[in-house]
Amino acid sequence: MGDWMDRAVAAERLRSSFSAQFQWDTVRVTPDKIAGRTVADAVVVPTEVPNHPFATMDGYALDTADSSPRPIAGSVETADDPEPLADGTAVEVATGAPLPEGADAVVPVEEATVENGCLIESTTAPGRNLYPAGATAAQGERIFDPGDQLAPRHAALLRDVGIDQISVRSRPAVGILATGTEIARGDQPDRDSAMLANLLRRWGTEPTILEPVSDAQSHVTAAIERATAEYDLLITSGGTSVGAGDHVGSVLAEHGPLFTSVALRPGRPTTAAVVDGTPVCALPGKPVAAHTAATLVLRPALAAQTAVAEDPAVTVRATSDVELPAQDAEYAVPVALCDGRAVPTGQGDDTGDLYGSRFRPGRVASSTRVTLADGIIVTTDSIAAGELVQVTPFEVIE
């Protein structure tokens, strides 16, 4: 792809640098703090859960081998420890109540006929309307392995099986450094750092936004060297192009460069290096270019370290033609998903629109309004109206 590195190769080089440089510690967290954490040690269930079957509906517990009618011999609530079921009888049970030993089914209240204190019912299959013992987990079962990523829903399982703490990997500390005199002086807002911090936090790291640095090579060098001494990973934005004020690329070139540009637009002037043992990923300063490179290069590189998921796409039809520039690269075309169709964001004839039929990655890269899109089409080929396209929603790569 031209003189630029394929993004999959770039991501793999970053991933290798992370594997070589990241030092993982183990910390213990409670179930209310597990979301997004990566399991460090296997999680083993200490005892069978539940240790008895329980009713999943209000009704009557019985032994299906007995015949009808069955005298109703009391009732069982959720907190009870019932006596074994007497032969030929039934007991009234509440939802969640433990079944007496000997009962193998529950007849729901709405299906039951009770006459003179006896249950009259038709044929009932064993196992109906009950939750079996051990159905949640068996004693000694491994429910999570090292490297698994934990989600909010898993807290319910951990609590249910009696695990109050779990060992997880510590989160890599990431510094975020914006470059640009106009940002350091406050003339322009820092459009990238907050966005990148939110992404990196979602991807299982602990980001810190650093003070922006002005466009002087000595200042950029000093800021990068300070940050790489303190953090496990450094992400910079801006200063990666070839202008007079762009010094990040030249600073990184003096160390251990991994790549100097990526065959991806927007996002091409992304570069990376290892500085004094710390990986540095330098993103373009234009907000959409920074977001595109972060989600399509940096995120996959972090996947092996923080268990980031794969990138599922949806197949829809494009509403209009999008001609790509005649360059050998991948293009990330932002689109809105409307009524099962992909509508290119920023395309149109109005003065505020970014391009007509020919995609303009430079304009798109600068437009924070593009962040209102629903996803991107990553392609090397022009798009024709009506063709099926693969859209990667932002929600699955952010």
Side-chain angles (χ1 to χ4, degrees):
M1 288 190 172
D3 296 326
W4 318 311
M5 183 169 287
D6 178 89
R7 70 180 173 97
V9 177
E12 182 55 40
R13 289 198 178 182
L14 267 180
R15 181 185 292 117
S16 297
S17 75
F18 297 161
S19 299
Q21 304 300 332
F22 284 7
Q23 298 297 316
W24 297 106
D25 294 322
T26 297
V27 295
R28 301 277 287 174
V29 297
T30 51
D32 58 310
K33 296 180 173 67
I34 64 168
R37 303 308 294 260
T38 302
V39 175
D41 299 323
V43 180
V44 179
V45 177
T47 186
E48 180 182 61
V49 180
N51 58 9
H52 50 66
F54 61 81
T56 58
M57 299 187 72
D58 294 334
Y60 299 91
L62 50 77
D63 182 349
T64 55
D66 292 339
S67 56
S68 181
R70 297 175 174 86
I72 299 172
S75 62
V76 183
E77 298 297 327
T78 54
D80 291 344
D81 183 12
E83 295 292 329
L85 183 70
D87 290 345
T89 65
V91 282
E92 187 175 3
V93 291
T95 300
L99 266 62
E101 183 182 345
D104 65 357
V106 174
V107 177
V109 168
E110 56 270 27
E111 297 179 15
T113 301
V114 177
E115 295 178 359
N116 301 320
C118 291
L119 176 65
I120 315 294
E121 48 84 29
S122 57
T123 303
T124 301
R128 188 177 179 216
N129 301 316
L130 63 81
Y131 190 84
T136 296
Q139 183 177 11
E141 180 181 352
R142 290 165 62 117
I143 53 174
F144 295 107
D145 290 311
D148 288 346
Q149 188 175 40
L150 297 167
R153 64 185 182 276
H154 296 143
L157 173 60
L158 292 171
R159 286 296 193 194
D160 199 17
V161 300
I163 294 175
D164 296 325
Q165 286 193 331
I166 182 172
S167 294
V168 297
R169 289 178 180 174
S170 58
R171 294 176 182 265
V174 182
I176 300 173
L177 177 66
T179 69
T181 302
E182 71 285 4
I183 297 172
R185 290 194 312 212
D187 298 336
Q188 291 286 331
D190 177 1
R191 299 176 178 89
D192 296 335
S193 294
M195 171 190 70
L196 294 171
N198 279 289
L199 289 173
L200 287 158
R201 190 172 293 108
R202 281 195 175 187
W203 298 341
T205 72
E206 291 289 352
T208 299
I209 296 176
L210 308 176
E211 285 294 320
V213 61
S214 60
D215 290 322
Q217 183 155 350
S218 59
H219 294 174
V220 172
T221 299
I224 289 176
E225 289 177 351
R226 282 195 305 270
T228 52
E230 184 175 353
Y231 295 94
D232 299 314
L233 168 64
L234 176 63
I235 306 299
T236 69
S237 63
T240 59
S241 193
V242 291
D246 294 317
H247 300 296
V248 174
S250 59
V251 170
L252 295 188
E254 296 174 359
H255 294 271
L258 300 171
F259 53 85
T260 56
S261 60
V262 181
L264 174 68
R265 299 194 68 192
R268 180 177 63 191
T270 297
T271 186
V274 177
V275 178
D276 298 329
T278 299
V280 180
C281 182
L283 303 174
K286 292 181 178 180
V288 175
H291 182 273
T292 302
T295 54
L296 297 183
V297 179
L298 177 59
R299 178 180 179 271
L302 282 168
Q305 313 304 321
T306 60
V308 169
E310 294 300 321
D311 305 344
V314 294
T315 303
V316 293
R317 293 195 182 276
T319 59
S320 55
D321 295 337
V322 179
E323 181 187 351
L324 299 183
Q327 290 179 315
D328 191 11
E330 286 184 299
Y331 288 81
V333 180
V335 295
L337 293 171
C338 301
D339 300 323
R341 300 180 302 161
V343 182
T345 302
Q347 184 185 57
D349 299 324
D350 294 339
T351 12
D353 288 326
L354 303 173
Y355 64 95
S357 61
R358 185 179 175 84
F359 187 60
R360 300 185 68 173
R363 280 195 174 187
V364 169
S366 301
S367 174
T368 54
R369 186 174 180 81
V370 166
T371 61
L372 296 175
D374 296 315
I376 50 176
I377 300 170
V378 181
T379 181
T380 56
D381 300 317
S382 295
I383 300 166
E387 79 167 296
L388 289 172
V389 291
Q390 296 289 310
V391 177
T392 302
F394 284 139
E395 65 190 31
V396 305
I397 56 173
E398 285 196 335

